[in-house]
Amino acid sequence: MNQFYNATGIAPCVMVVRNEDWMGKYNSLEKYGYDKYLSKFDDEKHWLLVYSKGDKDDDWYFEGIQGNDTDSVLCKTTTYAFIKDLEENINSGLYSNITIPLQITLDEFSVKAMETHFDTINLVIWITVVFVEILFGAAWIFGDKLDLREKQNN
């Protein structure tokens, strides 16, 4: 989780609960997780990952609750990709508890998230450079025409 924090600046927090901790008291794991987020954190820079397990291996739920200040990294596309990868790691049957698939998925995700973040930064830089080049080109073209008009008037 440190790698994820160092790569993204977002502090992940994993909460493992039993289904009976929230079922019957909340309409959804999302609402349960949201209440836990509000009670545990006083900022908007965390990603609370709530994993809920029942008695059977296939009786589990997962929800991610993110603070508002995480939106630049945790957009809908990246969080769906994370959940898909996590589900694959959990369902692989290679791990006896949730901590290993979560750690593996977070480590992989931190690399992907930073690649996406840097791709966005590079795109913004590229667009800025092109825009500046267009401005300079326009100034050069129109500047030459203005010079010709001044020479013709003299």
Side-chain angles (χ1 to χ4, degrees):
M1 285 201 256
N2 287 336
Q3 179 181 347
F4 183 83
Y5 176 76
N6 291 336
T8 64
I10 298 168
C13 177
V14 175
M15 176 183 282
V16 179
V17 298
R18 307 267 319 143
N19 288 348
E20 58 263 14
D21 292 343
W22 62 275
M23 286 183 163
K25 300 171 193 149
Y26 289 87
N27 291 339
S28 68
L29 184 58
E30 179 182 11
K31 289 182 182 186
Y32 175 81
Y34 181 73
D35 280 354
K36 292 298 179 186
Y37 188 102
L38 294 177
S39 70
K40 292 191 173 295
F41 309 116
D42 59 355
D43 63 33
E44 296 288 330
K45 297 179 182 179
H46 285 81
W47 190 17
L48 177 60
L49 305 169
V50 184
Y51 176 79
S52 178
K53 181 97 172 79
D55 293 329
K56 298 177 184 174
D57 286 342
D58 64 346
D59 185 20
W60 61 271
Y61 299 88
F62 175 81
E63 190 66 51
I65 310 296
Q66 68 186 72
N68 291 336
D69 295 340
T70 65
D71 291 346
S72 64
V73 175
L74 299 177
C75 65
K76 188 180 270 190
T77 304
T78 55
T79 55
Y80 282 152
F82 174 84
I83 292 168
K84 180 180 173 276
D85 291 349
L86 178 62
E87 286 177 351
E88 287 176 8
N89 285 330
I90 291 171
N91 292 330
S92 72
L94 298 174
Y95 313 105
S96 60
N97 63 47
I98 187 60
T99 56
I100 296 170
L102 266 170
Q103 185 64 54
I104 290 169
T105 309
L106 275 171
D107 288 347
E108 292 170 350
F109 184 72
S110 63
V111 172
K112 290 177 187 176
M114 288 315 297
E115 287 172 354
T116 302
H117 182 67
F118 285 125
D119 287 347
T120 303
I121 290 172
N122 288 338
L123 178 62
V124 169
I125 291 170
W126 182 82
I127 289 171
T128 303
V129 167
V130 168
F131 183 70
V132 168
E133 287 179 358
I134 290 170
L135 286 178
F136 278 119
W140 180 75
I141 291 169
F142 292 116
D144 282 350
K145 289 182 179 179
L146 290 174
D147 285 346
L148 288 174
R149 286 183 191 158
E150 285 179 12
K151 290 178 184 176
Q152 288 175 351
N153 290 336
N154 289 335

